[in-house]
Amino acid sequence: MIKPSRTTRKARAALTAAAVTGCLVTLSPSAGATATAAAAPPGRVAVDVASVNGSGCRPGSATVAVSPDNSAFTVTYSEYLAAAGGGVAATEGRKNCLLSLLVHVPQGYTYAVSHVDYRGYGRLEPGATGTQKASYYFQGMSQTANRTHQFHGALDDNWQVTDTTGIEALVFAPCGEQRNFNINTELRAEVGTSDTSKTSYMTVDSTDGSISSVYHFSWKQCPVRR
């Protein structure tokens, strides 16, 4: 598998906060939570990986961590790279990853994911294209439509995109139920009109641990059962 050079990894570590922002196609809000947003709950929030599947994330190649203030969790990949051209096998042009997460929250609270920051590095020859897609859903609930971001060569730089959802359209986990939160992502590299003898790639690979996908929580308090 193609890996970015030391210079590339150094550039990725210097990723800026510049973002391309899009809107998720969302579902109607779930019932069972109060209408006003709440601050992050006290106590411990934990996120465990229930399962991981896909050509972009072999078991053990994706790790999850929760921020100390319970405002977000991060997913760090170590092998997520799509490449095309230069003799690379056609199967390397599309990679995907389906993560199923168990999110443990303090009693009396529920959560939604309000926006997601994806970061990576792209090296696209002139005429080549790269694509990043993502969708999210709770176990037993409908899946959101894919949100797609496309990149065009020539490109040799860090990239960042953000998917956002308005507060009125957030989908919250049902109160009092444990449902897995599923993240379905895809990464593509396509030769397009570029020189087919040269390799183009897109990656959310994080060999040096400096690049993570960040999922930001929105919290609500559940109604008190009487």
Side-chain angles (χ1 to χ4, degrees):
M1 183 175 65
I2 298 168
K3 288 290 183 181
S5 65
R6 182 177 299 176
T7 300
T8 297
R9 292 198 298 270
K10 183 177 180 181
R12 287 166 52 191
L15 182 67
T16 66
V20 178
T21 303
C23 294
L24 285 172
V25 179
T26 58
L27 308 170
S28 299
S30 299
T34 57
T36 56
R44 184 172 181 265
V45 175
V47 180
D48 298 322
V49 178
S51 64
V52 54
N53 292 287
S55 56
C57 57
R58 293 184 307 108
S61 68
T63 59
V64 182
V66 180
S67 64
D69 62 359
N70 292 338
S71 65
F73 67 91
T74 62
V75 179
T76 303
Y77 300 95
S78 62
E79 297 182 359
Y80 206 164
L81 180 149
V88 174
T91 53
E92 294 298 309
R94 176 188 177 275
K95 295 298 180 72
N96 73 294
C97 182
L98 176 59
L99 284 177
S100 185
L101 305 178
L102 281 167
V103 182
H104 306 279
V105 304
Q107 187 174 5
Y109 285 84
T110 186
Y111 72 95
V113 172
S114 59
H115 64 284
V116 187
D117 301 320
Y118 290 101
R119 301 178 175 92
Y121 195 90
R123 190 181 189 285
L124 301 174
E125 292 294 324
T129 60
T131 305
Q132 186 270 339
K133 293 183 179 181
S135 60
Y136 323 88
Y137 60 100
F138 289 105
Q139 179 183 7
M141 298 173 68
S142 299
Q143 186 168 344
T144 64
N146 280 325
R147 181 59 183 156
T148 302
H149 302 275
Q150 196 164 67
F151 306 83
H152 300 275
L155 174 69
D156 189 6
D157 204 353
N158 301 300
W159 60 264
Q160 176 174 324
V161 295
T162 300
D163 293 340
T164 60
T165 304
I167 191 169
E168 73 286 349
L170 291 175
V171 181
F172 285 83
C175 285
E177 297 183 25
Q178 180 65 66
R179 297 199 184 191
N180 288 11
F181 181 63
N182 299 311
I183 303 168
N184 193 11
T185 59
E186 179 181 322
L187 201 62
R188 287 180 181 265
E190 297 174 280
V191 172
T193 60
S194 69
D195 183 346
T196 58
S197 68
K198 297 181 179 179
T199 302
S200 295
Y201 64 83
M202 292 289 294
T203 180
V204 284
D205 190 314
S206 187
T207 302
D208 56 10
S210 65
I211 297 177
S212 300
S213 300
V214 184
Y215 297 79
H216 299 266
F217 287 122
S218 184
W219 293 99
K220 284 189 178 181
Q221 290 183 292
C222 295
V224 178
R225 296 184 178 181
R226 301 184 183 280

